[in-house]
Amino acid sequence: MVNSEALCPSQIIDTEIIAVTVYTDQALVTRQGKIELFGKERELVINNVPVTLDTESVRVGGRGRIVVKVGNVNVERVYATEPLVARVAQITTHIEQLESELSYVQAQLDGLALQARFIEGLREKTEEPFAQSLSRKNLSLSETLDFVNFLGSQYTEYGIATRDSQNRKQEIDKELQALKQQLRQIQTPLPKESFKLTVDIEPAGAGEFELEVTYVVKRAAWAPLYDMRVNSTNKTLSLNYIAEVTQNTGEDWNNVALTLSTAKPGLGTLPPKLEPWYVGIREPRIMPSPAMLAPENARMVRRRAYNLEFKDDDDSEQEDNYIEAEIEKAEVSTEGSVVSFKLNTSTNIPNDGAPHKATIFNNDFPIHFSYIAMPRLVSFAYLQATVKNPTGGATLLPGKANIFRDNVFVGTAQLTNVAPGQEFQVNLGIDESIKIERDLVERQVDKKLIGSNRKITYAYRLILTNLLSQEANLKLSEQIPKSKHEQIKIYLNRCNPQIQLGEMGILEWELRMAPQSKQELYYQFIIEYPPNLDIVGLNI
């Protein structure tokens, strides 16, 4: 006989999340649920869909052993109040059980106390008669020891039983306290909001049907993180590409197939429209004096001004330099400019708004080192690694990178978008293997005027030492002043090795230094200007 409830035209179907695609600011959720249809149903209802749902994004489909026509989907906002009756009944029953057990344990403690008092009274009443009988030899020593052992064993047995009962009583008291607190919280009516999805269906007959629903939710995002470890000996970069996923959508993602996508579906299909760009003058802003305000408002104005003026950037939270990552890799796919990373293992992302990490991949890339130096600013050379993203590799999205050099943390950097086949640089900090000395070797002011101008000659010598046992490529940049006045003339007079003067007075040498070698650079520049001009900026 068919259950009459199964012939109801509206059936509630239980679904679970099986897959999630996370974008940079939202997520596409896929739910599935199976139900036995009897041919009379006209609606399938899915309850408790979170309020972060984009109501225009709901799509339905399915498959089964019968033909089912799926029609429109109605999205309805539902309000409910807690407590739920079933939950209250469950907690109440548990409390009653514990209180019954507590009464039993208390009865045990009372009985043990009574027995202990009886043994104590027996000991007090028999202590003197036993001593007299033993002295008169009316009792043997063995009989006396048997009685003493009996008293001792009873004391021990009652003591252990009392301790166990007291421990259990304390445990029950704690459980009761926690349950009563839960009950008070649940019995406080709180508004609860969700969506109900009603799917119109028309089954051709009876049979099993699997419904699939997809929808977009807000409050979900992912961002790339990178862990870059440079091995100076092997000249390799171990790049750990990590996804940091956060979600506070209103539902947990348990044991789901997780895909991370670079698509931005929320931006729409049309380009943004330019609005008029107005330029005007700044209107004077008159701040009321504290005397013109109420005392409390005056304090608020002073506090606000203080916060704006003295905000300290060092108060920002420091993040951990070390990133924990999973060992699984993701399956990478590219469609046009959109890159997707499908994780090969099921993933749990709870609805807590906290970041959860998953590894996209971890690969080793060959690198080559070079050095850059700006001796006018810093008397050190900086090591830089050049890495090429393989042609068949994945796009490296903009994100924070933690950089390690030979297992030593050197700092963080912001990685820009790196396409497959593109090179990028990783800065590895100061390397004292390149020694730089910079000296002002000439500053000569001509006593005679040339025409109507005064002439000053400056010259610098740089001595570079490669302390490495291997060749080093060094890009060294120096600078001569740039004139901002038509009567001030500045020109490069000599340069060794010879190079062309670049824009903004920049001198750049590309040097290949042999192992354990020294090299000398020299340049000279001249400044001419009328002696009546008050020159600023020659703080050389």
Side-chain angles (χ1 to χ4, degrees):
M1 183 175 179
V2 177
N3 189 339
S4 60
E5 291 183 357
L7 300 179
C8 178
S10 180
Q11 293 287 343
I12 297 176
I13 179 171
D14 292 328
T15 61
E16 63 179 5
I17 299 174
I18 63 165
V20 178
T21 299
V22 185
Y23 304 103
T24 54
D25 59 352
Q26 56 190 347
L28 177 67
V29 176
T30 301
R31 279 181 171 270
Q32 281 185 356
K34 290 183 180 180
I35 191 170
E36 192 72 27
L37 298 177
F38 294 90
K40 301 297 183 180
E41 295 84 357
R42 292 296 175 262
E43 292 178 349
L44 293 179
V45 177
I46 303 173
N47 289 319
N48 298 321
V49 178
V51 293
T52 55
L53 168 74
D54 180 351
T55 57
E56 300 296 326
S57 68
V58 181
R59 299 292 182 270
V60 294
R63 60 180 183 175
R65 301 189 181 278
I66 54 172
V67 177
V68 178
K69 292 182 181 180
V70 179
N72 295 328
V73 181
N74 180 49
V75 181
E76 180 184 356
R77 191 179 292 266
V78 177
Y79 298 90
T81 57
E82 291 188 353
L84 298 176
V85 176
R87 181 61 176 155
V88 171
Q90 180 185 11
I91 295 179
T92 303
T93 301
H94 196 179
I95 290 175
E96 291 173 353
Q97 292 172 347
L98 288 176
E99 287 177 341
S100 176
E101 184 181 356
L102 183 63
S103 299
Y104 175 75
V105 172
Q106 186 60 53
Q108 282 186 318
L109 286 171
D110 293 342
L112 289 169
L114 181 61
Q115 290 174 316
R117 286 197 299 272
F118 176 78
I119 294 296
E120 178 64 24
L122 183 62
R123 181 190 66 79
E124 292 175 353
K125 291 179 180 179
T126 57
E127 183 176 354
E128 185 176 348
F130 254 87
Q132 294 176 356
S133 298
L134 187 62
S135 62
R136 296 172 185 170
K137 297 183 180 181
N138 293 331
L139 287 175
S140 66
L141 184 59
S142 61
E143 290 175 327
T144 304
L145 291 176
D146 288 342
F147 184 73
V148 171
N149 289 335
F150 167 75
L151 291 177
S153 64
Q154 291 301 306
Y155 270 119
T156 303
E157 182 180 341
Y158 297 154
I160 294 174
T162 301
R163 184 198 61 192
D164 292 343
S165 296
Q166 288 174 341
N167 290 341
R168 180 54 187 156
K169 181 182 177 183
Q170 291 176 355
E171 293 174 0
I172 294 173
D173 286 336
K174 290 181 181 179
E175 289 185 60
L176 281 172
Q177 185 178 0
L179 285 171
K180 289 178 180 178
Q181 176 65 20
Q182 289 182 29
L183 188 60
R184 284 193 295 271
Q185 292 176 350
I186 290 177
Q187 287 176 333
T188 303
L190 295 173
K192 185 178 180 182
E193 187 179 354
S194 65
F195 281 109
K196 180 177 75 172
L197 307 183
T198 304
V199 184
D200 294 338
I201 62 168
E202 187 177 336
E208 186 181 72
F209 178 67
E210 183 179 67
L211 181 71
E212 182 172 289
V213 181
T214 62
Y215 52 84
V216 172
V217 288
K218 302 173 183 177
R219 300 181 191 170
W222 79 278
L225 292 173
Y226 301 93
D227 192 4
M228 298 183 179
R229 296 182 179 271
V230 172
N231 188 316
S232 300
T233 304
N234 299 333
K235 292 186 177 180
T236 57
L237 170 72
S238 177
L239 189 145
N240 199 9
Y241 195 168
I242 301 168
E244 189 176 67
V245 184
T246 57
Q247 72 102 345
N248 193 15
T249 62
E251 54 190 2
D252 293 329
W253 301 341
N254 294 325
N255 199 29
V256 300
L258 188 66
T259 301
L260 311 171
S261 176
T262 62
K264 300 183 184 299
L267 296 182
T269 57
L270 295 176
K273 181 182 178 181
L274 288 173
E275 299 293 337
W277 183 359
Y278 297 106
V279 176
I281 62 173
R282 188 188 304 276
E283 296 292 339
R285 182 180 179 185
I286 301 176
M287 289 289 293
S289 66
M292 299 169 59
L293 302 172
E296 181 61 28
N297 289 338
R299 284 195 295 271
M300 290 177 64
V301 169
R302 285 194 295 269
R303 190 181 305 121
R304 213 174 278 133
Y306 178 88
N307 290 340
L308 290 174
E309 184 177 358
F310 297 101
K311 183 177 179 181
D312 191 352
D313 292 335
D314 291 337
D315 291 339
S316 60
E317 264 192 9
Q318 296 291 330
E319 295 187 4
D320 193 357
N321 295 326
Y322 296 88
I323 301 175
E324 297 180 3
E326 304 293 337
I327 61 173
E328 294 83 2
K329 296 185 179 181
E331 186 178 314
V332 183
S333 62
T334 304
E335 295 182 8
S337 61
V338 176
V339 181
S340 296
F341 305 103
K342 183 178 181 181
L343 302 186
N344 291 325
T345 57
S346 297
T347 308
N348 295 323
I349 307 293
N351 171 47
D352 57 6
H356 299 271
K357 297 180 178 66
T359 297
I360 296 175
F361 66 75
N362 188 330
N363 288 339
D364 292 338
F365 302 109
I367 59 177
H368 65 268
F369 292 117
S370 60
Y371 292 86
I372 57 175
M374 290 165 283
R376 182 172 179 268
L377 301 178
V378 182
S379 58
F380 300 103
Y382 288 80
L383 181 62
Q384 190 176 72
T386 301
V387 192
K388 183 175 182 180
N389 191 9
T391 305
T395 299
L396 305 181
L397 300 173
K400 178 185 172 183
N402 293 326
I403 301 173
F404 298 81
R405 177 183 170 194
D406 298 326
N407 295 323
V408 176
F409 177 71
V410 297
T412 62
Q414 193 69 23
L415 188 68
T416 58
N417 191 87
V418 182
Q422 184 179 348
E423 288 188 345
F424 63 98
Q425 276 73 42
V426 178
N427 295 309
L428 301 173
I430 293 171
D431 192 325
E432 297 183 359
S433 300
I434 304 295
K435 184 180 178 182
I436 302 174
E437 300 174 63
R438 180 179 184 267
D439 297 313
L440 176 65
V441 294
E442 182 181 5
R443 185 185 182 279
Q444 181 178 342
V445 180
D446 286 358
K447 296 180 180 179
K448 296 182 179 180
L449 298 180
I450 300 177
S452 59
N453 286 339
R454 174 169 293 160
K455 174 182 174 182
I456 305 179
T457 301
Y458 292 91
Y460 283 89
R461 178 184 294 114
L462 294 92
I463 300 176
L464 316 174
T465 305
N466 179 12
L467 302 175
L468 297 166
S469 58
Q470 57 190 11
E471 185 180 71
N473 296 320
L474 174 64
K475 179 181 178 180
L476 187 142
S477 299
E478 276 286 270
Q479 186 179 27
I480 68 172
K482 188 75 173 176
S483 173
K484 294 180 66 176
H485 194 282
E486 60 181 8
Q487 291 184 283
I488 301 175
K489 309 296 181 183
I490 304 174
Y491 55 90
L492 182 66
N493 189 43
R494 292 172 55 192
C495 182
N496 185 30
Q498 187 67 38
I499 58 171
Q500 293 293 324
L501 181 63
E503 294 184 4
M504 304 305 297
I506 300 297
L507 297 168
E508 286 187 348
W509 286 272
E510 299 281 352
L511 306 172
R512 296 175 65 90
M513 299 186 65
Q516 301 291 323
S517 66
K518 282 191 176 184
Q519 191 164 348
E520 183 177 307
L521 305 180
Y522 175 87
Y523 67 95
Q524 182 189 76
F525 62 93
I526 295 174
I527 301 177
E528 295 183 4
Y529 61 94
N532 60 324
L533 291 182
D534 185 13
I535 303 295
V536 295
L538 286 180
N539 51 338
I540 299 177

